Amino acid sequence: MTEGAFTADTMVLFAILGMAAVTYALRAGGYWVMGRVNVTPRIRRGLEALPGAIIVSTILPIILQGGLVVGLCIIVAVAAQLRMKKEYIAVFCAAAAAAALRAGGI
Protein backbone atom coordinates (compact mmCIF):
# COMPACT_ATOMS: atom_id res chain seq x y z
CA MET A 1 0.00 0.00 0.00
CA THR A 2 1.31 3.44 -0.82
CA GLU A 3 1.78 6.23 1.69
CA GLY A 4 -1.05 8.47 0.45
CA ALA A 5 -3.69 5.76 0.01
CA PHE A 6 -6.97 6.01 1.87
CA THR A 7 -7.99 3.14 4.11
CA ALA A 8 -11.55 1.91 4.44
CA ASP A 9 -11.81 3.65 7.81
CA THR A 10 -10.88 7.05 6.38
CA MET A 11 -13.26 6.58 3.44
CA VAL A 12 -16.09 5.79 5.87
CA LEU A 13 -15.20 8.85 7.92
CA PHE A 14 -15.20 11.06 4.79
CA ALA A 15 -18.55 9.58 3.72
CA ILE A 16 -20.11 10.28 7.13
CA LEU A 17 -18.72 13.82 7.24
CA GLY A 18 -19.93 14.44 3.69
CA MET A 19 -23.43 13.22 4.49
CA ALA A 20 -23.50 15.36 7.64
CA ALA A 21 -22.43 18.43 5.66
CA VAL A 22 -25.10 17.86 2.99
CA THR A 23 -27.79 17.25 5.64
CA TYR A 24 -26.87 20.45 7.45
CA ALA A 25 -26.77 22.43 4.17
CA LEU A 26 -30.23 21.18 3.21
CA ARG A 27 -31.72 22.04 6.61
CA ALA A 28 -30.07 25.45 6.77
CA GLY A 29 -30.99 26.10 3.14
CA GLY A 30 -34.62 25.27 3.85
CA TYR A 31 -34.75 27.80 6.68
CA TRP A 32 -32.98 30.34 4.49
CA VAL A 33 -35.45 29.85 1.61
CA MET A 34 -38.52 29.92 3.87
CA GLY A 35 -37.24 33.15 5.42
CA ARG A 36 -37.60 34.75 2.01
CA VAL A 37 -41.02 33.33 1.07
CA ASN A 38 -44.18 35.29 1.66
CA VAL A 39 -46.35 32.73 3.47
CA THR A 40 -49.83 33.09 2.02
CA PRO A 41 -52.82 31.17 3.39
CA ARG A 42 -52.47 28.69 0.51
CA ILE A 43 -48.79 28.02 1.30
CA ARG A 44 -49.63 27.71 5.02
CA ARG A 45 -52.29 25.06 4.25
CA GLY A 46 -49.80 23.17 2.10
CA LEU A 47 -47.17 23.25 4.83
CA GLU A 48 -49.71 22.11 7.42
CA ALA A 49 -50.65 19.13 5.22
CA LEU A 50 -47.04 17.98 4.78
CA PRO A 51 -46.65 15.89 7.97
CA GLY A 52 -49.68 13.74 7.14
CA ALA A 53 -48.57 13.31 3.54
CA ILE A 54 -45.08 12.29 4.65
CA ILE A 55 -46.47 9.74 7.10
CA VAL A 56 -48.77 8.24 4.47
CA SER A 57 -46.01 8.10 1.86
CA THR A 58 -43.75 6.34 4.37
CA ILE A 59 -46.25 3.87 5.82
CA LEU A 60 -48.21 2.90 2.70
CA PRO A 61 -45.32 1.06 0.97
CA ILE A 62 -44.59 -0.75 4.25
CA ILE A 63 -48.22 -1.90 4.47
CA LEU A 64 -48.29 -2.94 0.81
CA GLN A 65 -45.09 -4.94 1.13
CA GLY A 66 -45.83 -6.36 4.59
CA GLY A 67 -49.37 -7.49 3.90
CA LEU A 68 -52.31 -8.02 6.23
CA VAL A 69 -50.34 -8.50 9.46
CA VAL A 70 -48.40 -5.26 9.05
CA GLY A 71 -51.56 -3.36 8.17
CA LEU A 72 -53.36 -4.69 11.24
CA CYS A 73 -50.39 -3.89 13.47
CA ILE A 74 -50.28 -0.31 12.21
CA ILE A 75 -54.01 0.03 12.89
CA VAL A 76 -53.43 -1.30 16.42
CA ALA A 77 -50.54 1.15 16.93
CA VAL A 78 -52.59 4.11 15.72
CA ALA A 79 -55.56 3.14 17.90
CA ALA A 80 -53.33 2.71 20.96
CA GLN A 81 -51.60 6.05 20.30
CA LEU A 82 -54.92 7.88 19.93
CA ARG A 83 -56.30 6.26 23.08
CA MET A 84 -53.29 6.32 25.42
CA LYS A 85 -51.20 9.20 23.98
CA LYS A 86 -47.98 7.25 24.72
CA GLU A 87 -45.70 6.17 21.88
CA TYR A 88 -44.04 3.33 23.73
CA ILE A 89 -47.41 1.79 24.59
CA ALA A 90 -48.45 2.04 20.93
CA VAL A 91 -45.25 0.27 19.86
CA PHE A 92 -45.74 -2.41 22.52
CA CYS A 93 -49.36 -2.99 21.43
CA ALA A 94 -48.30 -3.27 17.78
CA ALA A 95 -45.55 -5.75 18.68
CA ALA A 96 -47.96 -7.78 20.79
CA ALA A 97 -50.47 -7.80 17.92
CA ALA A 98 -47.76 -8.95 15.51
CA ALA A 99 -46.71 -11.74 17.85
CA ALA A 100 -50.32 -12.85 18.35
CA LEU A 101 -51.08 -12.76 14.62
CA ARG A 102 -47.90 -14.64 13.72
CA ALA A 103 -48.55 -17.21 16.46
CA GLY A 104 -52.08 -17.62 15.09
CA GLY A 105 -50.67 -18.48 11.69
CA ILE A 106 -51.65 -15.30 9.82
Side-chain angles (χ1 to χ4, degrees):
M1 184 177 286
T2 62
E3 293 256 340
F6 290 111
T7 64
D9 291 337
T10 56
M11 294 302 287
V12 169
L13 179 63
F14 284 136
I16 291 171
L17 291 174
M19 289 185 286
V22 169
T23 300
Y24 178 76
L26 288 173
R27 283 192 169 255
Y31 286 117
W32 181 79
V33 168
M34 286 308 295
R36 284 152 179 71
V37 171
N38 183 20
V39 180
T40 64
R42 183 177 180 179
I43 291 174
R44 181 172 301 286
R45 284 192 309 270
L47 291 172
E48 288 171 356
L50 271 177
I54 291 170
I55 289 171
V56 169
S57 67
T58 303
I59 291 178
L60 188 60
I62 294 170
I63 292 172
L64 293 176
Q65 185 178 9
L68 179 63
V69 172
V70 172
L72 292 173
C73 290
I74 289 176
I75 291 170
V76 167
V78 169
Q81 175 64 23
L82 291 173
R83 175 86 171 122
M84 312 264 187
K85 308 279 193 256
K86 304 264 188 224
E87 292 86 7
Y88 64 92
I89 293 176
V91 170
F92 177 77
C93 290
L101 289 168
R102 295 290 185 199
I106 295 178

